[in-house]
Amino acid sequence: MDSGDLITGLNLIRKDFNLDSSELAIPEAELSEESLLKKLSNLVSYLMEKDFGKLLQVLYRIDVSEERLKAALATQSQSPSDLIAQMILERELQKVATRKKYSR
């Protein structure tokens, strides 16, 4: 994965979650899909406990498929926060790819 795509995806996540640049801070040298997923999973876990309504609003804003999310959560193959974080990152990276494709 291109580090530029990850940076753009991270910026989209910050925008959609209404976070400033210090939140979800990952040094560029350490930025990887795994490090981003770990930070994002922690954020999702926090919102699941403290502000579930905000999490639902963000998932709607990002356009995470509700049907796909329900199906994935039903399988319970990993923790819900990890699963939701993975789906958020996948969706944001899809947006990055689409924008790159059509901006040429």
Side-chain angles (χ1 to χ4, degrees):
M1 166 128 345
D2 184 298
S3 66
D5 290 351
L6 281 177
I7 292 169
T8 305
L10 175 58
N11 290 331
L12 282 174
I13 290 168
R14 285 186 184 129
K15 181 181 114 319
D16 289 333
F17 277 90
N18 198 26
L19 304 173
D20 64 40
S21 61
S22 67
E23 297 174 283
L24 283 183
I26 303 171
E28 194 170 324
E30 298 174 18
L31 183 62
S32 67
E33 189 171 340
E34 294 78 26
S35 63
L36 182 52
L37 279 172
K38 184 177 180 182
K39 291 264 189 177
L40 186 55
S41 179
N42 289 337
L43 176 62
V44 168
S45 180
Y46 173 81
L47 289 175
M48 287 175 76
E49 292 177 22
K50 304 292 183 187
D51 196 350
F52 193 68
K54 179 178 179 177
L55 178 61
L56 293 178
Q57 288 174 347
V58 169
L59 290 172
Y60 180 76
R61 187 178 313 127
I62 293 172
D63 193 28
V64 172
S65 167
E66 184 179 345
E67 293 80 27
R68 203 171 143 232
L69 180 62
K70 285 180 183 178
L73 289 172
T75 63
Q76 300 263 331
S77 61
Q78 62 190 107
S79 78
S81 60
D82 289 347
L83 184 64
I84 293 169
Q86 178 68 43
M87 294 182 85
I88 289 170
L89 184 57
E90 284 175 8
R91 181 65 184 116
E92 295 291 29
L93 292 176
Q94 285 174 351
K95 290 179 190 178
V96 170
T98 300
R99 290 175 185 175
K100 278 175 67 173
K101 180 178 178 181
Y102 292 105
S103 68
R104 296 178 185 174

XYZ file of all heavy atoms in Angstrom:
826
model
N 0.836 -1.174 0.000
C 0.000 0.000 0.000
C 0.883 1.240 0.000
O 1.845 1.326 0.731
C -0.909 -0.024 1.228
C -1.566 1.280 1.500
S -3.333 1.291 1.698
C -3.883 -0.232 1.090
N 0.533 2.196 -0.802
C 1.248 3.456 -0.935
C 1.081 4.289 0.340
O -0.027 4.454 0.834
C 0.659 4.193 -2.140
C 1.368 5.468 -2.454
O 1.359 6.366 -1.599
O 1.920 5.582 -3.558
N 2.193 4.795 0.884
C 2.109 5.579 2.123
C 1.320 6.872 1.905
O 0.666 7.359 2.821
C 3.503 5.885 2.670
O 4.209 6.729 1.788
N 1.357 7.406 0.688
C 0.555 8.593 0.376
C -0.930 8.309 0.491
O -1.701 9.147 0.974
N -1.340 7.109 0.061
C -2.746 6.714 0.185
C -3.138 6.582 1.650
O -4.235 6.965 2.036
C -3.004 5.393 -0.540
C -2.925 5.529 -2.054
O -2.838 6.672 -2.562
O -2.941 4.487 -2.727
N -2.235 6.026 2.456
C -2.528 5.893 3.890
C -2.648 7.260 4.557
O -3.535 7.458 5.393
C -1.451 5.069 4.589
C -1.539 3.561 4.430
C -0.357 2.884 5.111
C -2.839 3.022 5.004
N -1.787 8.189 4.185
C -1.864 9.536 4.752
C -3.180 10.204 4.363
O -3.863 10.799 5.195
C -0.652 10.388 4.300
C 0.624 9.846 4.942
C -0.855 11.858 4.648
C 1.904 10.426 4.379
N -3.549 10.069 3.098
C -4.819 10.634 2.636
C -5.983 9.963 3.349
O -6.930 10.632 3.774
C -4.958 10.480 1.112
O -3.814 11.080 0.483
C -6.225 11.140 0.606
N -5.918 8.637 3.500
C -6.968 7.913 4.230
C -7.058 8.359 5.676
O -8.153 8.543 6.215
N -5.906 8.548 6.316
C -5.879 9.023 7.698
C -6.512 10.400 7.800
O -7.301 10.666 8.716
C -4.440 9.051 8.213
C -4.191 9.636 9.602
C -4.989 8.898 10.664
C -2.709 9.606 9.937
N -6.223 11.268 6.852
C -6.826 12.603 6.857
C -8.333 12.543 6.654
O -9.083 13.306 7.279
C -6.159 13.497 5.819
C -4.749 13.865 6.215
O -4.414 13.939 7.404
N -3.891 14.086 5.228
N -8.801 11.629 5.804
C -10.243 11.452 5.618
C -10.906 10.954 6.911
O -11.990 11.410 7.275
C -10.530 10.457 4.492
C -10.386 10.955 3.070
C -10.551 9.800 2.093
C -11.395 12.045 2.780
N -10.237 10.034 7.590
C -10.775 9.511 8.848
C -10.870 10.636 9.869
O -11.888 10.782 10.549
C -9.903 8.351 9.373
C -10.058 7.122 8.467
C -10.255 8.011 10.821
C -9.037 6.031 8.702
N -9.808 11.436 9.969
C -9.848 12.575 10.906
C -11.008 13.508 10.571
O -11.703 13.983 11.458
C -8.533 13.348 10.848
C -7.400 12.665 11.548
C -6.175 13.568 11.565
N -5.049 12.904 12.159
C -3.852 12.834 11.599
N -3.614 13.409 10.432
N -2.867 12.210 12.208
N -11.200 13.785 9.287
C -12.287 14.673 8.869
C -13.645 14.070 9.228
O -14.498 14.740 9.800
C -12.202 14.936 7.365
C -13.275 15.875 6.846
C -13.139 16.064 5.359
C -14.173 15.557 4.536
N -14.991 14.604 4.305
N -13.839 12.799 8.918
C -15.132 12.167 9.160
C -15.444 12.006 10.649
O -16.603 12.040 11.050
C -15.212 10.816 8.453
C -15.321 10.976 6.944
O -15.839 12.013 6.488
O -14.878 10.069 6.225
N -14.403 11.819 11.463
C -14.599 11.707 12.906
C -14.533 13.079 13.590
O -14.658 13.163 14.800
C -13.544 10.783 13.537
C -13.879 9.325 13.446
C -13.467 8.571 12.363
C -14.597 8.700 14.448
C -13.763 7.213 12.279
C -14.898 7.348 14.369
C -14.481 6.605 13.286
N -14.293 14.134 12.814
C -14.168 15.490 13.322
C -13.045 15.594 14.358
O -13.232 16.096 15.456
C -15.499 15.989 13.895
C -15.548 17.485 14.041
O -14.856 18.195 13.316
N -16.333 17.972 14.979
N -11.871 15.080 13.991
C -10.699 15.084 14.866
C -9.695 16.110 14.349
O -9.668 16.405 13.160
C -10.028 13.703 14.864
C -10.893 12.511 15.252
C -10.121 11.222 15.024
C -11.344 12.621 16.694
N -8.853 16.629 15.249
C -7.791 17.510 14.774
C -6.558 16.669 14.442
O -6.529 15.460 14.664
C -7.481 18.632 15.766
C -6.936 18.140 17.092
O -6.118 17.204 17.095
O -7.316 18.716 18.130
N -5.536 17.324 13.937
C -4.370 16.579 13.437
C -3.571 15.889 14.533
O -2.805 14.975 14.252
C -3.454 17.508 12.638
O -2.986 18.546 13.472
N -3.752 16.296 15.798
C -3.021 15.634 16.880
C -3.682 14.317 17.295
O -3.054 13.477 17.925
C -2.897 16.561 18.093
O -4.166 16.790 18.664
N -4.947 14.168 16.946
C -5.650 12.938 17.287
C -5.395 11.902 16.189
O -5.308 12.240 15.019
C -7.143 13.202 17.457
C -7.408 14.160 18.620
C -8.853 14.553 18.735
O -9.286 15.393 17.931
O -9.540 14.012 19.624
N -5.266 10.671 16.584
C -4.861 9.584 15.691
C -3.486 9.880 15.106
O -3.211 9.582 13.946
C -5.861 9.350 14.559
C -7.143 8.617 14.855
C -7.950 8.420 13.578
C -6.925 7.279 15.514
N -2.645 10.505 15.914
C -1.309 10.885 15.445
C -0.414 9.660 15.325
O -0.276 8.889 16.265
C -0.687 11.890 16.404
N 0.141 9.489 14.147
C 1.095 8.410 13.873
C 2.242 9.045 13.096
O 2.005 9.637 12.037
C 0.461 7.278 13.035
C -0.773 6.711 13.724
C 1.478 6.179 12.772
C -1.570 5.748 12.863
N 3.471 8.960 13.616
C 4.597 9.510 12.855
C 4.659 8.873 11.462
O 4.428 7.675 11.308
C 5.825 9.126 13.682
C 5.300 8.871 15.054
C 3.900 8.355 14.872
N 4.952 9.702 10.472
C 4.936 9.216 9.085
C 5.844 8.010 8.882
O 5.521 7.096 8.128
C 5.328 10.348 8.142
C 5.009 10.048 6.702
C 5.165 11.245 5.801
O 4.866 12.365 6.224
O 5.587 11.035 4.655
N 6.969 7.970 9.597
C 7.899 6.845 9.468
C 7.299 5.547 10.004
O 7.686 4.462 9.588
C 9.197 7.155 10.193
N 6.355 5.665 10.940
C 5.731 4.489 11.548
C 4.359 4.175 10.964
O 3.719 3.209 11.378
C 5.593 4.699 13.055
C 6.910 4.874 13.775
C 6.740 5.232 15.236
O 5.638 5.025 15.788
O 7.710 5.726 15.825
N 3.904 4.998 10.025
C 2.572 4.817 9.463
C 2.516 3.557 8.612
O 3.276 3.384 7.669
C 2.178 6.029 8.626
C 0.778 6.002 8.024
C -0.283 5.946 9.133
C 0.543 7.216 7.151
N 1.627 2.667 9.004
C 1.363 1.452 8.234
C -0.111 1.141 8.406
O -0.787 1.713 9.270
C 2.209 0.286 8.749
O 1.796 -0.065 10.059
N -0.592 0.236 7.584
C -1.995 -0.152 7.706
C -2.270 -0.715 9.100
O -3.294 -0.422 9.704
C -2.352 -1.171 6.631
C -3.828 -1.456 6.540
C -4.198 -2.299 5.340
O -3.415 -2.359 4.366
O -5.278 -2.901 5.375
N -1.332 -1.498 9.631
C -1.511 -2.108 10.953
C -1.547 -1.057 12.059
O -2.384 -1.127 12.946
C -0.393 -3.119 11.238
C -0.402 -4.330 10.335
C 0.195 -4.046 8.940
O 1.045 -3.125 8.799
O -0.215 -4.714 7.988
N -0.625 -0.071 12.006
C -0.602 0.953 13.051
C -1.855 1.817 12.988
O -2.422 2.176 14.027
C 0.653 1.821 12.947
O 0.689 2.544 11.736
N -2.317 2.108 11.786
C -3.538 2.897 11.628
C -4.751 2.118 12.125
O -5.611 2.670 12.818
C -3.702 3.310 10.166
C -4.904 4.185 9.824
C -4.986 5.414 10.724
C -4.846 4.596 8.365
N -4.811 0.831 11.798
C -5.927 0.004 12.272
C -5.958 -0.082 13.795
O -7.029 -0.050 14.398
C -5.851 -1.401 11.673
C -6.391 -1.544 10.262
C -6.069 -2.926 9.712
C -7.885 -1.291 10.229
N -4.799 -0.182 14.414
C -4.738 -0.271 15.869
C -5.286 1.004 16.515
O -6.120 0.942 17.414
C -3.303 -0.522 16.324
C -3.173 -0.719 17.810
C -1.753 -1.045 18.214
C -1.684 -1.225 19.719
N -0.339 -1.485 20.186
N -4.836 2.170 16.036
C -5.324 3.449 16.571
C -6.814 3.612 16.306
O -7.571 4.049 17.173
C -4.560 4.613 15.943
C -3.140 4.713 16.346
C -2.994 5.672 17.480
C -1.508 5.927 17.720
N -1.290 6.895 18.746
N -7.236 3.260 15.104
C -8.641 3.399 14.737
C -9.518 2.457 15.561
O -10.601 2.827 16.007
C -8.811 3.136 13.237
C -10.184 3.377 12.639
C -10.683 4.781 12.918
C -10.141 3.128 11.138
N -9.044 1.252 15.801
C -9.775 0.291 16.623
C -9.953 0.813 18.045
O -11.031 0.659 18.645
C -9.054 -1.057 16.637
O -9.749 -1.972 17.443
N -8.922 1.450 18.593
C -9.031 2.035 19.931
C -10.075 3.150 19.948
O -10.859 3.264 20.899
C -7.677 2.578 20.400
C -6.698 1.477 20.710
O -7.063 0.341 20.987
N -5.414 1.805 20.645
N -10.101 3.968 18.907
C -11.093 5.035 18.814
C -12.503 4.456 18.707
O -13.421 4.911 19.389
C -10.785 5.938 17.611
C -11.789 7.041 17.314
C -11.896 8.028 18.484
C -11.409 7.769 16.033
N -12.671 3.451 17.879
C -13.981 2.811 17.715
C -14.431 2.191 19.032
O -15.588 2.350 19.443
C -13.950 1.760 16.585
C -15.195 0.891 16.591
C -13.774 2.440 15.231
N -13.537 1.529 19.720
C -13.852 0.917 21.013
C -14.316 1.974 22.014
O -15.307 1.784 22.726
C -12.636 0.176 21.547
O -12.921 -0.417 22.775
N -13.598 3.097 22.046
C -13.974 4.192 22.944
C -15.380 4.700 22.613
O -16.211 4.875 23.504
C -12.953 5.335 22.832
C -13.359 6.560 23.600
C -13.154 6.643 24.970
C -13.969 7.629 22.959
C -13.540 7.760 25.691
C -14.359 8.749 23.661
C -14.144 8.814 25.027
O -14.544 9.928 25.734
N -15.649 4.918 21.328
C -16.967 5.417 20.931
C -18.064 4.394 21.188
O -19.197 4.776 21.505
C -16.957 5.836 19.461
C -16.166 7.108 19.151
C -16.126 7.355 17.648
C -16.748 8.314 19.873
N -17.751 3.122 21.062
C -18.757 2.087 21.351
C -19.191 2.171 22.810
O -20.360 1.948 23.120
C -18.204 0.696 21.031
C -18.099 0.427 19.549
S -17.316 -1.161 19.179
C -18.649 -2.274 19.569
N -18.257 2.495 23.690
C -18.553 2.571 25.121
C -19.131 3.920 25.534
O -20.031 3.973 26.371
C -17.286 2.314 25.936
C -16.778 0.905 25.834
C -15.478 0.709 26.598
O -15.199 1.503 27.523
O -14.742 -0.235 26.275
N -18.610 5.011 24.967
C -18.937 6.348 25.473
C -19.920 7.146 24.626
O -20.626 7.992 25.153
C -17.652 7.184 25.626
C -16.599 6.547 26.504
C -17.039 6.484 27.937
C -15.917 5.912 28.796
N -16.298 5.673 30.150
N -19.934 6.934 23.308
C -20.786 7.742 22.432
C -21.164 6.937 21.192
O -20.728 7.224 20.085
C -20.055 9.034 22.051
C -20.981 10.094 21.469
O -22.159 9.772 21.186
O -20.525 11.238 21.302
N -21.995 5.922 21.408
C -22.374 5.020 20.324
C -23.100 5.769 19.204
O -22.933 5.456 18.026
C -23.249 3.889 20.866
C -23.422 2.757 19.897
C -22.367 1.940 19.562
C -24.653 2.527 19.305
C -22.527 0.883 18.657
C -24.823 1.479 18.405
C -23.757 0.665 18.083
N -23.878 6.778 19.572
C -24.589 7.574 18.565
C -23.638 8.242 17.591
O -23.885 8.266 16.388
N -22.537 8.785 18.109
C -21.545 9.426 17.237
C -20.914 8.397 16.308
O -20.714 8.672 15.128
C -20.454 10.113 18.059
C -19.410 10.768 17.183
C -18.346 11.489 17.970
C -17.314 12.094 17.019
N -16.296 12.858 17.714
N -20.631 7.206 16.828
C -20.061 6.154 15.988
C -21.011 5.807 14.841
O -20.586 5.685 13.689
C -19.747 4.896 16.816
C -19.197 3.709 16.035
C -17.880 4.055 15.351
C -19.030 2.505 16.947
N -22.280 5.683 15.138
C -23.263 5.382 14.093
C -23.331 6.497 13.053
O -23.416 6.225 11.854
C -24.637 5.140 14.704
C -24.774 3.881 15.565
C -26.181 3.789 16.148
C -24.436 2.628 14.783
N -23.271 7.755 13.506
C -23.281 8.881 12.574
C -22.063 8.842 11.653
O -22.176 9.083 10.451
C -23.295 10.203 13.334
C -24.606 10.503 14.006
C -24.513 11.768 14.862
O -23.439 12.284 15.141
N -25.669 12.257 15.291
N -20.901 8.535 12.233
C -19.671 8.478 11.436
C -19.750 7.338 10.423
O -19.379 7.508 9.254
C -18.432 8.340 12.344
C -17.189 8.021 11.541
C -18.229 9.599 13.166
N -20.236 6.184 10.850
C -20.359 5.053 9.925
C -21.295 5.405 8.769
O -21.031 5.045 7.615
C -20.861 3.805 10.660
C -19.877 3.181 11.635
C -20.553 2.078 12.443
C -18.654 2.651 10.919
N -22.360 6.126 9.065
C -23.281 6.564 8.019
C -22.593 7.560 7.086
O -22.688 7.457 5.864
C -24.528 7.190 8.655
C -25.537 7.670 7.655
C -26.370 6.775 6.984
C -25.653 9.024 7.357
C -27.292 7.222 6.052
C -26.568 9.480 6.430
C -27.387 8.573 5.777
O -28.293 9.016 4.850
N -21.865 8.521 7.675
C -21.178 9.552 6.888
C -20.125 8.928 5.981
O -19.962 9.320 4.829
C -20.527 10.565 7.827
C -19.932 11.758 7.119
C -19.335 12.795 8.074
N -20.207 13.107 9.178
C -19.837 13.042 10.471
N -18.617 12.689 10.806
N -20.686 13.348 11.423
N -19.399 7.950 6.496
C -18.353 7.291 5.718
C -18.958 6.379 4.663
O -18.343 6.081 3.658
C -17.404 6.502 6.659
C -16.618 7.479 7.533
C -16.452 5.614 5.891
C -15.799 6.812 8.613
N -20.183 5.951 4.880
C -20.910 5.070 3.972
C -20.415 3.628 4.074
O -20.182 2.958 3.069
C -20.834 5.570 2.528
C -21.815 4.865 1.610
O -22.876 4.414 2.094
O -21.521 4.749 0.409
N -20.257 3.169 5.323
C -19.959 1.757 5.560
C -21.264 1.003 5.363
O -22.293 1.366 5.933
C -19.395 1.536 6.984
C -19.281 0.065 7.302
C -18.046 2.219 7.120
N -21.249 -0.033 4.569
C -22.445 -0.799 4.256
C -23.046 -1.422 5.515
O -22.401 -2.220 6.201
C -22.112 -1.910 3.259
O -23.161 -2.839 3.167
N -24.277 -1.050 5.811
C -24.947 -1.572 6.999
C -25.143 -3.084 6.916
O -24.928 -3.797 7.895
C -26.305 -0.877 7.179
C -27.037 -1.272 8.429
C -28.359 -0.548 8.599
O -28.599 0.455 7.915
O -29.164 -1.012 9.435
N -25.514 -3.577 5.749
C -25.739 -5.016 5.582
C -24.439 -5.791 5.772
O -24.403 -6.819 6.441
C -26.326 -5.323 4.196
C -27.720 -4.789 3.971
C -27.751 -3.304 3.625
O -26.757 -2.782 3.071
O -28.756 -2.657 3.939
N -23.370 -5.271 5.160
C -22.071 -5.931 5.285
C -21.573 -5.900 6.729
O -21.018 -6.871 7.230
C -21.076 -5.229 4.359
C -19.931 -6.105 4.004
C -19.064 -5.471 2.916
N -17.704 -5.840 3.291
C -16.698 -5.031 3.418
N -16.844 -3.759 3.189
N -15.524 -5.466 3.769
N -21.817 -4.780 7.407
C -21.416 -4.646 8.805
C -22.169 -5.637 9.682
O -21.576 -6.337 10.495
C -21.647 -3.215 9.288
C -21.275 -2.907 10.726
C -19.794 -3.122 10.967
C -21.664 -1.483 11.080
N -23.471 -5.733 9.497
C -24.277 -6.683 10.281
C -23.822 -8.116 10.041
O -23.694 -8.904 10.977
C -25.759 -6.544 9.934
C -26.415 -5.337 10.523
C -27.879 -5.283 10.126
C -28.556 -4.045 10.654
N -29.965 -3.968 10.243
N -23.585 -8.452 8.786
C -23.147 -9.812 8.458
C -21.788 -10.107 9.079
O -21.569 -11.191 9.630
C -23.086 -9.998 6.943
N -20.887 -9.145 9.016
C -19.551 -9.350 9.574
C -19.600 -9.472 11.088
O -18.905 -10.303 11.676
C -18.637 -8.205 9.156
N -20.406 -8.652 11.726
C -20.512 -8.715 13.186
C -21.164 -10.020 13.646
O -20.867 -10.516 14.722
C -21.288 -7.515 13.730
C -20.558 -6.172 13.659
C -21.489 -5.035 14.044
C -19.324 -6.180 14.540
N -22.028 -10.584 12.820
C -22.702 -11.834 13.170
C -21.723 -13.009 13.190
O -21.919 -13.962 13.938
C -23.842 -12.114 12.195
N -20.670 -12.924 12.378
C -19.714 -14.027 12.349
C -18.800 -14.028 13.570
O -18.277 -15.065 13.940
C -18.829 -13.966 11.088
O -18.055 -12.769 11.120
C -19.659 -14.027 9.826
N -18.597 -12.841 14.173
C -17.791 -12.716 15.393
C -16.406 -13.340 15.274
O -15.911 -13.950 16.204
C -18.538 -13.336 16.581
C -19.869 -12.722 16.887
C -19.783 -11.687 17.987
O -18.938 -11.781 18.850
N -20.668 -10.715 17.941
N -15.775 -13.193 14.131
C -14.443 -13.774 13.944
C -13.345 -12.948 14.610
O -12.257 -13.449 14.833
C -14.140 -13.923 12.446
O -14.168 -12.656 11.830
N -13.624 -11.682 14.897
C -12.676 -10.824 15.593
C -13.458 -9.838 16.437
O -14.686 -9.806 16.384
C -11.746 -10.118 14.603
C -12.450 -9.186 13.635
C -11.543 -8.708 12.523
O -11.705 -9.151 11.412
N -10.624 -7.821 12.796
N -12.769 -9.030 17.231
C -13.475 -8.099 18.100
C -14.264 -7.097 17.259
O -13.831 -6.720 16.168
C -12.502 -7.374 19.024
O -11.835 -6.350 18.331
N -15.427 -6.683 17.745
C -16.242 -5.737 16.973
C -15.491 -4.450 16.625
O -15.614 -3.950 15.508
C -17.433 -5.450 17.891
C -17.532 -6.656 18.755
C -16.123 -7.123 18.949
N -14.704 -3.919 17.562
C -13.990 -2.668 17.266
C -12.945 -2.874 16.168
O -12.777 -2.012 15.309
C -13.359 -2.083 18.528
O -12.430 -2.983 19.082
N -12.266 -4.015 16.168
C -11.295 -4.315 15.107
C -11.995 -4.457 13.758
O -11.513 -3.963 12.737
C -10.522 -5.592 15.405
C -9.530 -5.451 16.545
O -9.250 -4.311 16.966
O -9.047 -6.494 17.035
N -13.115 -5.118 13.765
C -13.880 -5.334 12.538
C -14.394 -4.015 11.962
O -14.262 -3.751 10.762
C -15.045 -6.285 12.821
C -15.888 -6.696 11.650
C -15.056 -7.504 10.666
C -17.061 -7.522 12.123
N -14.962 -3.182 12.822
C -15.487 -1.891 12.373
C -14.338 -1.013 11.869
O -14.467 -0.354 10.832
C -16.287 -1.207 13.504
C -17.561 -2.013 13.784
C -16.620 0.235 13.131
C -18.312 -1.598 15.035
N -13.215 -1.018 12.584
C -12.056 -0.238 12.147
C -11.588 -0.695 10.766
O -11.270 0.135 9.907
C -10.917 -0.366 13.165
N -11.543 -1.988 10.542
C -11.144 -2.530 9.238
C -12.094 -2.063 8.142
O -11.656 -1.651 7.068
C -11.108 -4.060 9.292
C -10.741 -4.726 7.983
C -9.300 -4.480 7.576
O -8.406 -4.554 8.393
N -9.076 -4.180 6.309
N -13.388 -2.084 8.422
C -14.371 -1.666 7.420
C -14.264 -0.166 7.136
O -14.410 0.260 5.982
C -15.768 -2.053 7.872
C -15.957 -3.565 7.938
S -17.602 -4.045 8.397
C -18.371 -3.997 6.790
N -14.001 0.630 8.167
C -13.831 2.076 7.976
C -12.613 2.333 7.097
O -12.688 3.098 6.129
C -13.684 2.788 9.338
C -15.025 2.778 10.092
C -13.175 4.225 9.151
C -14.926 3.246 11.537
N -11.495 1.701 7.429
C -10.273 1.917 6.654
C -10.460 1.464 5.207
O -10.066 2.168 4.276
C -9.085 1.204 7.301
C -7.741 1.436 6.619
C -7.395 2.921 6.544
C -6.643 0.666 7.327
N -11.075 0.312 4.995
C -11.320 -0.167 3.630
C -12.135 0.847 2.834
O -11.823 1.148 1.685
C -12.061 -1.501 3.657
C -11.211 -2.678 4.014
C -12.023 -3.966 4.147
O -13.233 -3.970 3.806
O -11.454 -4.968 4.610
N -13.187 1.378 3.464
C -14.058 2.325 2.767
C -13.323 3.620 2.447
O -13.443 4.163 1.346
C -15.312 2.603 3.614
C -16.282 3.546 2.958
C -16.876 2.933 1.690
N -17.732 3.897 1.044
C -17.495 4.416 -0.173
N -16.482 4.011 -0.888
N -18.300 5.308 -0.677
N -12.540 4.120 3.413
C -11.802 5.363 3.178
C -10.757 5.175 2.084
O -10.562 6.057 1.254
C -11.144 5.853 4.465
C -12.126 6.265 5.551
C -12.931 7.523 5.271
O -13.214 7.859 4.105
O -13.295 8.185 6.256
N -10.103 4.018 2.051
C -9.105 3.762 1.012
C -9.761 3.570 -0.357
O -9.160 3.890 -1.387
C -8.223 2.570 1.385
C -7.286 2.817 2.577
C -6.520 1.546 2.930
C -6.346 3.986 2.338
N -11.003 3.075 -0.371
C -11.752 3.009 -1.630
C -11.988 4.418 -2.164
O -11.873 4.666 -3.364
C -13.103 2.317 -1.424
C -13.048 0.835 -1.267
C -14.430 0.252 -0.929
O -15.382 0.980 -0.653
N -14.516 -1.063 -0.930
N -12.323 5.337 -1.265
C -12.541 6.732 -1.666
C -11.258 7.331 -2.228
O -11.292 8.044 -3.237
C -13.011 7.572 -0.475
C -14.405 7.257 -0.003
C -14.732 8.134 1.194
C -15.994 7.739 1.874
N -16.265 8.580 3.060
N -10.130 7.056 -1.570
C -8.834 7.568 -2.038
C -8.558 7.049 -3.447
O -8.175 7.817 -4.336
C -7.701 7.163 -1.069
C -6.335 7.474 -1.660
C -7.870 7.848 0.281
N -8.764 5.755 -3.665
C -8.507 5.156 -4.981
C -9.420 5.753 -6.045
O -8.978 6.043 -7.171
C -8.681 3.638 -4.907
N -10.678 5.952 -5.704
C -11.627 6.524 -6.661
C -11.235 7.950 -7.021
O -11.257 8.327 -8.195
C -13.057 6.499 -6.080
O -13.413 5.142 -5.812
C -14.058 7.105 -7.045
N -10.860 8.728 -6.020
C -10.451 10.109 -6.289
C -9.191 10.158 -7.147
O -9.071 11.011 -8.035
C -10.255 10.862 -4.975
C -11.562 11.120 -4.275
C -11.373 11.748 -2.913
N -12.678 11.849 -2.257
C -12.850 12.270 -1.029
N -11.819 12.641 -0.300
N -14.060 12.328 -0.515
N -8.251 9.271 -6.894
C -7.032 9.221 -7.700
C -7.362 8.854 -9.152
O -6.816 9.428 -10.088
C -6.041 8.205 -7.127
C -5.218 8.730 -5.987
C -4.348 7.683 -5.369
C -3.252 7.177 -6.256
N -2.306 6.276 -5.567
N -8.258 7.897 -9.302
C -8.609 7.414 -10.638
C -9.240 8.522 -11.490
O -8.939 8.654 -12.662
C -9.574 6.236 -10.513
C -10.014 5.650 -11.826
C -10.928 4.462 -11.619
C -11.405 3.904 -12.942
N -12.320 2.767 -12.736
N -10.121 9.301 -10.876
C -10.862 10.298 -11.644
C -10.257 11.692 -11.599
O -10.774 12.607 -12.233
C -12.320 10.338 -11.187
C -13.030 9.059 -11.576
C -13.330 8.096 -10.631
C -13.366 8.806 -12.897
C -13.959 6.909 -10.988
C -13.989 7.638 -13.274
C -14.278 6.683 -12.308
O -14.901 5.534 -12.683
N -9.156 11.864 -10.891
C -8.539 13.193 -10.844
C -7.483 13.350 -11.927
O -6.862 14.390 -12.046
C -7.906 13.438 -9.468
O -6.788 12.594 -9.280
N -7.259 12.337 -12.712
C -6.242 12.387 -13.771
C -6.776 13.000 -15.020
O -7.833 13.097 -15.370
C -5.717 10.971 -14.064
C -5.034 10.433 -12.869
C -4.556 9.048 -13.120
N -4.000 8.537 -11.844
C -3.600 7.336 -11.664
N -3.639 6.475 -12.624
N -3.113 6.956 -10.521
